[in-house]
Amino acid sequence: MHTSVPALPTALPEVEVSTTARRATPLAVLCRSGDPTPAPVTRETELTGEWMRAVALTGKAGEVQPGPVGSAVRWVAGVGEGEPDQWRTAGAALTRALNARIDTDTHAGRAAERTIQLELPADAGPDHIADLVVGLRLGGYGYVVSGEPEPPRVRTIRLVVGDKAGELEAAAHRAAVLAQATALARDLANTPSNVKDPAWLARMATRTAGRAPGVDATVRDHHWLAEQGFGGVLAVGGGSTRPPRFVELAWGRRGAPHVVLVGKGITFDTGGISIKPADGMHLMRTDMSGGAAVIAAVEAISQLGPDVRVTGLVPCAENHVSGSAYRPGDVVRHYGGRTTEVTNTDAEGRMVMADALAYAVERLAPDLIVDVATLTGAMKVSLGLRTGGVFASEDAVFDRVRAAGERVGERWWRMPLPSDAGTVGDEFAEAVRSEIADVRQCPPGPGGIAAAMFLREFTGGLPWAHLDIAGPARADRNYDEVTAGATGFAARTLVELVSSYSL
């Protein structure tokens, strides 16, 4: 049964930059660990050493304390040693504390203060502000099921920065756009799959493009996919009554460096005939997190306006079990003619992405292809739940991905990509060959590496990076700016990566 379409994206608090504080607006201040005196110290008579000792104020990153009774300072938030990423943690913790107080006041029938100003120390730089804004906006994120009322949340946070507003406003604006991209990716991935089928995801991509300046959106249906030979997408989507779609989002001028982003858009994954265990299958509504990150990134890139050209491709399908589902042992012909021997229908992501990669090579001829997917459980075993894996065709490509992630607070680790040229691990390189088709869907070897080697077959030798986000795409609890559920991981990295190619 389908329910109504949620009102996406989730509203995040607006963040303003100001040179002056307003007397009537509640105030929050920041403090560092070691010397937890809030800085700037403009209210030292209100935040006494006696009060600090009474509440055991440490200033560690993420610590939030209500201010003294009767003080103009309502909240004190710790930023640890003051590193930029600790400011992101502090911002998220402060927003969560504000929302909790608003919720308590609302339920008690008291007037809830939904605007606050945060006084910043004089040495706050653009990097600090950027991380703080991401934390402030995302820390209070919460997906709201369609039809349910929005919970009361903080609406506006004013950053009081003294006389440096000019140099900090640009950093705050960019961070606000990045945070909104992360939130949109979370919204799309968190939406339940009785609502979210391939057609729905395509509509959301089109709607997102409609509010993004200069983005052209094209959606192709299963008839077009059949005419063009997208055998991977059609095979995976063949078991569902809800047919697949192929989304193409384009922005930027011709002649600029061209980056193609490919995102896995599996709106629900039962595993197909190679069915998954029931335990944990409900999380497969987030199996299109890669596609969500691509949709959100293209919108954010259009808002920031770097001199690049970006194309986002999202093959959308639902991997279901039925009499028309594809089978182990099938041979599937992809876009462009290359064939795959199917060995496990639960390795469906690489099947749909192979079509999209081949399409990107033949139709778009980009300077760089980046694909992103919740692809293998092996990556969770290798890197845990907070780090994404990167398989890169060139050192320079990996360096750009890593640097982009560092700038936006997303962690990446390079994984080996064996070649046929006698490098370490080349014993796996030939395993991708099939005796009855061009390639095997699941060649023997380490799961994450095997998947990357399969995808490489469809990249045409172009510069390429494969981002496996199976671990960090979902969270079972809140930490830093992340909230439980879909995390929106990779959206910010994609924006920064594409922007790094700006002329």
Side-chain angles (χ1 to χ4, degrees):
M1 176 181 176
H2 291 256
T3 60
S4 58
V5 174
L8 304 181
T10 292
L12 301 179
E14 295 298 323
V15 179
E16 304 171 352
V17 176
S18 175
T19 57
T20 57
R22 294 177 180 170
R23 286 182 179 270
T25 303
L27 181 71
V29 293
L30 301 175
C31 64
R32 291 185 172 89
S33 58
D35 179 17
T37 304
V41 186
T42 57
R43 288 161 173 66
E44 61 271 20
T45 58
E46 297 168 345
L47 300 178
T48 63
E50 180 181 359
W51 173 80
M52 294 180 194
R53 289 189 295 272
V55 299
L57 184 68
T58 68
K60 67 180 181 180
E63 177 185 14
V64 178
Q65 297 279 4
V69 175
S71 169
V73 178
R74 303 290 180 86
W75 299 94
V76 180
V79 293
E81 291 77 29
E83 295 299 319
D85 64 317
Q86 294 176 312
W87 284 57
R88 188 171 67 252
T89 300
L94 178 59
T95 298
R96 289 188 185 113
L98 293 172
N99 285 344
R101 174 63 63 84
I102 290 169
D103 184 66
T104 298
D105 288 345
T106 300
H107 281 87
R110 297 189 293 267
E113 296 171 333
R114 299 179 66 175
T115 297
I116 194 167
Q117 52 195 349
L118 177 58
E119 194 170 80
L120 304 187
D123 60 354
D127 290 345
H128 299 98
I129 295 297
D131 277 277
L132 178 67
V133 170
V134 168
L136 289 170
R137 298 205 80 197
L138 291 177
Y141 171 90
Y143 178 76
V144 179
V145 177
S146 176
E148 295 295 318
E150 283 271 352
R153 295 170 177 159
V154 61
R155 288 184 182 139
T156 306
I157 301 172
R158 303 180 72 245
L159 305 182
V160 183
V161 298
D163 59 357
K164 298 195 303 180
E167 68 179 278
L168 299 180
E169 279 179 336
H173 169 71
R174 182 178 184 83
V177 172
L178 291 172
Q180 192 67 61
T182 300
L184 174 60
R186 290 179 184 179
D187 285 338
L188 295 172
N190 279 325
T191 299
S193 293
N194 60 322
V195 174
K196 178 175 56 189
D197 64 3
W200 182 92
L201 185 56
R203 287 197 303 274
M204 292 301 101
T206 301
R207 194 170 92 176
T208 297
R211 64 169 182 258
V215 176
D216 293 325
T218 305
V219 176
R220 278 81 174 230
D221 64 12
H222 58 292
H223 299 297
W224 183 91
L225 292 169
E227 292 169 359
Q228 298 295 319
F230 280 67
V233 180
L234 292 168
V236 172
S240 173
T241 59
R242 306 195 285 184
R245 296 288 190 273
F246 186 70
V247 174
E248 182 170 351
L249 305 172
W251 181 86
R253 68 175 182 87
R254 292 189 178 276
H258 187 193
V259 181
V260 169
L261 307 176
V262 177
K264 175 183 171 183
I266 301 299
T267 56
F268 193 77
D269 181 21
T270 67
I273 288 176
S274 308
I275 195 165
K276 294 178 179 292
D279 185 27
M281 193 188 288
H282 64 285
L283 296 174
M284 290 301 101
R285 67 179 179 272
T286 66
D287 207 24
M288 36 57 68
S289 292
V294 167
I295 293 168
V298 172
E299 179 190 27
I301 290 164
S302 74
Q303 292 176 349
L304 295 173
D307 189 11
V308 294
R309 179 184 171 199
V310 62
T311 303
L313 304 177
V314 184
C316 310
E318 185 174 70
N319 189 23
H320 237 300
V321 187
S322 75
S324 57
Y326 78 130
R327 297 159 291 267
D330 286 359
V331 173
V332 171
R333 187 175 299 276
H334 294 278
Y335 180 86
R338 189 175 291 267
T339 56
T340 290
E341 175 191 356
V342 176
T343 53
N344 183 339
T345 64
D346 193 23
E348 83 298 328
R350 68 197 71 180
M351 296 293 291
V352 302
M353 292 172 70
D355 281 342
L357 290 169
Y359 175 87
V361 171
E362 182 174 315
R363 294 283 190 91
L364 303 173
D367 299 296
L368 173 69
I369 302 176
V370 180
D371 72 72
V372 55
T374 50
L375 207 64
T376 65
M379 200 55 56
K380 293 192 288 185
V381 176
S382 299
L383 298 178
L385 303 181
R386 300 191 184 184
T387 303
V390 184
F391 298 84
S393 63
E394 302 173 6
D395 293 344
V397 172
F398 168 71
D399 290 342
R400 281 185 183 261
V401 173
R402 179 181 59 188
E406 287 176 351
R407 288 194 295 271
V408 298
E410 294 183 331
R411 199 162 55 201
W412 300 93
W413 188 264
R414 190 173 189 179
M415 302 297 292
L417 189 63
S419 72
D420 296 314
T423 58
V424 174
D426 64 358
E427 66 270 24
F428 302 124
E430 280 301 316
V432 75
R433 307 294 165 213
S434 168
E435 294 181 356
I436 63 172
D438 292 317
V439 289
R440 279 194 282 187
Q441 177 201 33
C442 298
I449 296 173
M453 289 192 300
F454 173 85
L455 290 175
R456 183 177 59 185
E457 294 291 316
F458 298 87
T459 61
L462 293 176
W464 162 70
H466 161 53
L467 312 183
D468 193 333
I469 60 170
R474 310 176 186 97
D476 58 3
R477 63 183 182 86
N478 296 346
Y479 64 90
D480 300 333
E481 82 284 5
V482 173
T483 53
T487 65
F489 189 87
R492 301 199 301 271
T493 294
L494 293 178
V495 176
E496 281 292 310
L497 175 63
V498 172
S499 297
S500 75
Y501 285 85
S502 179
L503 293 175

